[in-house]
Amino acid sequence: MAVPGRGGGSVPPGAPRETAQRELFSVDAYLREFDSTVTRVDREGGRVALRRTAFYPGGGGQPADVGALRWADQTVPVTRVARDRDDPATIWHWLEGPERLPDENAGVQGLLDWGRRHLTMRTHTALHILCGVMWADHGVAVTGGNMDPGKGRLDFPLPSMSSEFGRRVETRINEEIAAAREILVEFVGREVADEDHALIRTAANLIPREIDPLRVIDIVGLDKQADGGTHVLSTAEVGRVEVTGTESKGKGNKRVRLEVHEAGP
Ligand SMILES: [Zn+2]
């Protein structure tokens, strides 16, 4: 099964070797600690690159992870993570206090701020559920959005919007959470992806051809999209979603804001 393991679990079939070995977040969203080696040190920039990392570097609306690196009896906060602009294969980890950097080739342990990351995974998945509900019920595809840990927003090409509409959408999202739909991470070859109607409607066919295979997040039976981010294993894990706002951002552009909460009565 193409599911992300809970820390060292199975790698989704079709995952490019290089990606699976270096970008651990892309094949195992539940990995929160990992061992690695420092491959580059930028003392001026106060940052290091690692042979492999579980820190998500940001992208697709999902914020980057923070956490810490541990080596030689010290633990130093990782305050920012991002891909190198000119060399996207390199992921930089900024450390608190540029005077405290490990040496090149040093062995380090990476520790994610898991509370923040898991909340972000629940939030990201909640936004995909919103996409699925809006397509299934209203036939509109998302045009833009953003998220922070615990809350996010998406825009849709709708003629009108109301708080009543927001309440209906909230009910539908929580129904899909209650349905405990399985969520798969799949690596799909371009020829197959470009024929998949669910992916075409989320504009996956507009992604540059040289990206092959596409990483696809499939909320089985509800929503399927090409996506680099980290997600939970089942819609049930999202908890409870509250639609906190509905706004008009202009003619034919309406915004839905949501927050995720712990599952409860
Ligand atoms: Zn996404």
Side-chain angles (χ1 to χ4, degrees):
M1 294 293 285
V3 297
R6 288 183 185 270
S10 62
V11 168
R17 216 180 125 94
E18 181 82 347
T19 306
Q21 290 179 348
R22 292 172 48 89
E23 302 193 352
L24 306 174
F25 53 84
S26 75
V27 292
D28 185 358
Y30 287 83
L31 190 65
R32 57 181 94 175
E33 293 184 22
F34 62 97
D35 293 318
S36 192
T37 310
V38 177
T39 52
R40 289 172 70 183
V41 181
D42 173 9
R43 298 214 171 263
E44 225 161 85
R47 58 188 188 170
V48 298
L50 305 176
R51 182 171 55 83
R52 58 185 201 151
T53 186
F55 284 91
Y56 185 67
Q62 182 180 329
D65 289 322
V66 295
L69 287 188
R70 184 182 288 164
W71 75 96
D73 296 329
Q74 59 180 335
T75 303
V76 179
V78 173
T79 54
R80 185 186 157 207
V81 180
R83 287 190 190 276
D84 189 285
R85 249 177 250 167
D86 300 321
D87 172 22
T90 297
I91 295 173
W92 291 109
H93 306 69
W94 279 261
L95 295 182
E96 189 178 272
E99 71 286 356
R100 291 193 294 173
L101 289 178
D103 294 324
E104 201 172 311
N105 296 321
V108 294
Q109 190 185 18
L111 309 153
L112 268 60
D113 178 341
W114 178 248
R116 182 179 184 277
R117 156 66 98 74
H118 188 247
L119 179 58
T120 305
M121 284 160 58
R122 290 164 54 208
T123 308
H124 197 159
T125 303
L127 292 172
H128 283 217
I129 297 172
L130 172 59
C131 285
V133 164
M134 291 298 280
W135 179 259
D137 295 359
H138 308 285
V140 289
V142 63
T143 55
N146 202 10
M147 81 187 84
D148 292 307
K151 59 183 181 179
R153 59 172 168 82
L154 293 179
D155 293 343
F156 298 93
L158 286 169
S160 63
M161 177 58 74
S162 66
S163 52
E164 170 55 30
F165 185 94
R167 279 193 294 276
R168 282 207 307 276
V169 169
E170 177 182 292
T171 301
R172 286 285 292 114
I173 293 172
N174 286 305
E175 283 171 5
E176 297 297 347
I177 289 171
R181 290 183 184 272
E182 187 180 14
I183 301 168
L184 305 176
V185 180
E186 295 168 332
F187 287 82
V188 181
R190 278 316 283 263
E191 285 188 11
V192 174
D194 289 348
E195 295 291 312
D196 187 320
H197 288 282
L199 287 174
I200 289 168
R201 77 160 163 85
T202 54
N205 54 327
L206 300 181
I207 294 168
R209 294 289 317 174
E210 51 280 16
I211 299 179
D212 185 8
L214 286 182
R215 184 175 183 275
V216 169
I217 302 300
D218 184 7
I219 302 180
V220 177
L222 180 67
D223 184 79
K224 206 177 195 185
Q225 42 187 300
D227 192 295
T230 57
H231 297 263
V232 291
L233 285 164
S234 159
T235 58
E237 202 175 323
V238 170
R240 182 172 61 81
V241 164
E242 178 188 2
V243 170
T244 53
T246 49
E247 299 157 32
S248 177
K249 304 305 285 183
K251 194 168 175 257
N253 185 29
K254 303 294 178 271
R255 179 165 293 175
V256 178
R257 294 183 184 275
L258 61 73
E259 289 183 18
V260 302
H261 304 289
E262 298 303 321

